Amino acid sequence: MPAVPGTALVTSSASTVLTVDPADVDSEIAIARDVAAIGRISAVPSLLKVICQNTGMGFAAVARVTDGTWTACAVEDTIQFGLKPGGQLKVETTLCSESRMARQPVVIDRASTDPVYFNHHTPRMYNIESYISVPIIHSNGEYFGNLCAIDPRPAVVSDARVVAMFTAFADLIARQLETEDRQERTETALQSERATAELREQFIAVLGHDLRNPLSSVGAAAELLVRRQTEPELVKLGNRLKASTRRMSGLIDDVLDLARVRLGSGMHLSIREADFLASALTDVIDEVRAANPRLDIRDDIAINGAVRCDQGRIQQVLSNLLGNAVTHGAPDSPITVRAAIEGDQLVLSVTNGGAPIPEDDLAKIFQPYWRPAHSKPGGGLGLGLYIASEIVAGHGGTLQVSSCASEGTCFMATLPVA
């Protein structure tokens, strides 16, 4: 512990101040951070005053103790000792180093007659008679430092109540430090999340505006080429461009939907009475048929009357499910679309033949960006089924999948109609 000015010092406190190695910058920063953390605990000054008042000792401190340094983090000094928060001592000149190694309190009522410490260098160096130091240990077992007090006069600090008070205060300081650390990490995480949210919003703006504008220009150019009926090659090129434009627009929509969901706003839905859902679903099927004339796509749409839903989003669910069936189904097996009102639910299913989905893959199939290992390059972003499941969930429904060699693969969406 430090020297006590005022009563025949053997060594001045200045002579024991530690000069930190300039190369150890990280250690200095960490210690400064710990000193600041103790300074933010408003109860510490009151605890140190209570210690001095209850023990009659003139100096009490919270110290950060490492292998090489003793650093005062907070001080109550009524004997003009002179050590301020941030002041450092060579740890080998203190008794806190012994408390640190043993993880036990060191308690001395009268050093000059103590059978263990009467000849110890620290009491003799600093003319200390009474001394108590209790380790501050985090709940995970990590050592922080010590809560200690000294005085050039004897004091009864070995009393069980005094030791219990120090132990309770040391534990309180450790818990408060942990709370401070959690709060600091939470604030850092919040700042990081805000920055990430801003980047996501910028990303959405880029997708929604900067990419759609040139894509619209490409689409317009494709439409002009398609009208050149006297030049078949240009018409063919125009149709290719239109198909690519539709595909790019779909990819942009998928990424926008994913970004909205991940930002916490959820899938945007506009639910209202849809009087023509059957024909809207038929339009989607006809579009896929036109794009894949060699496939056998069958439909059984039995929806009579209005259905309360977001019609455009339900079309998107069917489009995504059909796209998945076209990509992964067997080309020589039919794709069957069924839609019907069963009781108070709308049941929409898409079934395709081909190799069954492995059991391990079924658990991952609705995850974003997930694609089977055997998928062909350029087949999409792996967002279609995820977005379909989010749309169905937004309607309060469920999207399930079953797959076996005999029955094929079936995706079934079940949604409440009211």
Side-chain angles (χ1 to χ4, degrees):
M1 275 302 300
V4 182
T7 57
L9 291 177
V10 177
T11 307
S12 70
S13 60
S15 67
T16 61
V17 173
L18 175 68
T19 302
V20 179
D21 184 352
D24 197 8
V25 176
D26 290 341
S27 178
E28 285 187 356
I29 294 173
I31 291 173
R33 185 170 60 244
D34 292 335
V35 172
I38 292 293
R40 289 192 296 269
I41 302 175
S42 59
V44 166
S46 298
L47 297 182
L48 297 181
K49 288 182 183 295
V50 168
I51 285 172
C52 290
Q53 290 169 0
N54 281 271
T55 62
M57 303 174 82
F59 181 90
V62 176
R64 177 72 170 102
V65 183
T66 68
D67 286 334
T69 61
W70 186 101
T71 306
C73 298
V75 172
E76 172 68 14
D77 185 4
T78 63
I79 56 175
Q80 291 74 51
F81 177 66
L83 191 64
K84 304 294 183 181
Q88 292 187 320
L89 304 171
K90 292 181 179 179
V91 72
E92 62 268 20
T93 68
T94 74
L95 283 168
C96 289
S97 61
E98 298 183 13
S99 175
R100 180 176 186 266
M101 287 187 293
R103 300 290 182 101
Q104 294 292 329
V106 173
V107 181
I108 307 172
D109 290 338
R110 183 188 287 266
S112 59
T113 60
D114 189 275
V116 176
Y117 293 100
F118 77 96
N119 202 32
H120 194 281
H121 65 275
T122 297
R124 295 181 65 186
M125 177 182 291
Y126 297 123
N127 195 25
I128 293 171
E129 280 291 345
S130 55
Y131 174 91
I132 180 170
S133 180
V134 175
I136 300 170
I137 301 174
H138 292 299
S139 56
N140 63 358
E142 182 181 347
Y143 178 90
F144 175 83
N146 287 72
L147 175 62
C148 49
I150 63 169
D151 199 277
R153 299 160 299 177
V156 182
V157 291
S158 60
D159 183 273
R161 290 174 295 181
V162 174
V163 176
M165 177 184 67
F166 269 79
T167 302
F169 286 176
D171 186 63
L172 176 62
I173 292 169
R175 300 296 86 78
Q176 285 295 112
L177 284 170
E178 291 169 8
T179 300
E180 283 279 334
D181 182 61
R182 284 194 297 269
Q183 183 175 347
E184 183 179 353
R185 283 188 278 116
T186 299
E187 290 175 355
T188 301
L190 286 173
Q191 292 174 358
S192 176
E193 184 60 31
R194 290 191 193 101
T196 301
E198 290 176 2
L199 287 175
R200 285 174 178 168
E201 290 172 0
Q202 293 170 9
F203 178 63
I204 290 175
V206 169
L207 284 174
H209 182 269
D210 295 350
L211 290 183
R212 284 194 189 281
N213 285 348
L215 193 61
S216 297
S217 300
V218 173
E223 188 63 38
L224 289 176
L225 292 175
V226 169
R227 294 177 183 178
R228 303 286 290 272
Q229 295 297 322
T230 59
E231 301 177 69
E233 288 300 320
L234 290 181
V235 172
K236 186 177 180 180
L237 177 60
N239 284 326
R240 282 184 184 175
L241 282 175
K242 287 180 70 175
S244 296
T245 301
R246 284 194 299 270
R247 182 170 178 274
M248 285 295 297
S249 181
L251 291 175
I252 292 172
D253 288 340
D254 286 349
V255 176
L256 281 171
D257 285 338
L258 174 69
R260 291 189 187 101
V261 172
R262 290 299 178 88
L263 279 170
S265 58
M267 186 66 64
H268 176 69
L269 299 175
S270 180
I271 298 177
R272 61 192 66 181
E273 294 293 328
D275 296 317
F276 305 103
L277 182 59
S279 61
L281 295 179
T282 301
D283 289 343
V284 174
I285 297 169
D286 290 342
E287 184 178 317
V288 177
R289 280 194 182 116
N292 301 274
R294 297 182 180 181
L295 295 179
D296 180 10
I297 302 177
R298 306 171 184 179
D299 64 271
D300 179 11
I301 309 297
I303 301 175
N304 298 317
V307 176
R308 186 167 178 78
C309 66
D310 185 328
Q311 180 171 290
R313 288 295 194 178
I314 298 301
Q315 286 182 298
Q316 187 178 0
V317 169
L318 178 56
S319 178
N320 289 0
L321 295 181
L322 270 175
N324 181 76
V326 168
T327 301
H328 300 289
D332 56 349
S333 297
I335 297 172
T336 303
V337 179
R338 291 188 175 90
I341 302 297
E342 299 180 3
D344 59 352
Q345 293 182 321
L346 167 66
V347 180
L348 172 65
S349 67
V350 176
T351 305
N352 63 266
I357 301 172
E359 191 70 27
D360 291 343
D361 290 352
L362 286 176
K364 308 171 188 174
I365 204 163
F366 295 117
Q367 295 177 4
Y369 296 120
W370 183 86
R371 298 176 65 198
H374 61 274
S375 294
K376 297 178 182 179
L381 297 175
L383 292 174
L385 294 179
Y386 168 75
I387 289 171
S389 68
E390 288 292 323
I391 293 173
V392 173
H395 281 81
T398 59
L399 179 59
Q400 298 175 318
V401 59
S402 61
S403 187
C404 63
S406 59
E407 301 294 332
T409 297
C410 178
F411 287 87
M412 180 177 293
T414 305
L415 304 89
V417 296

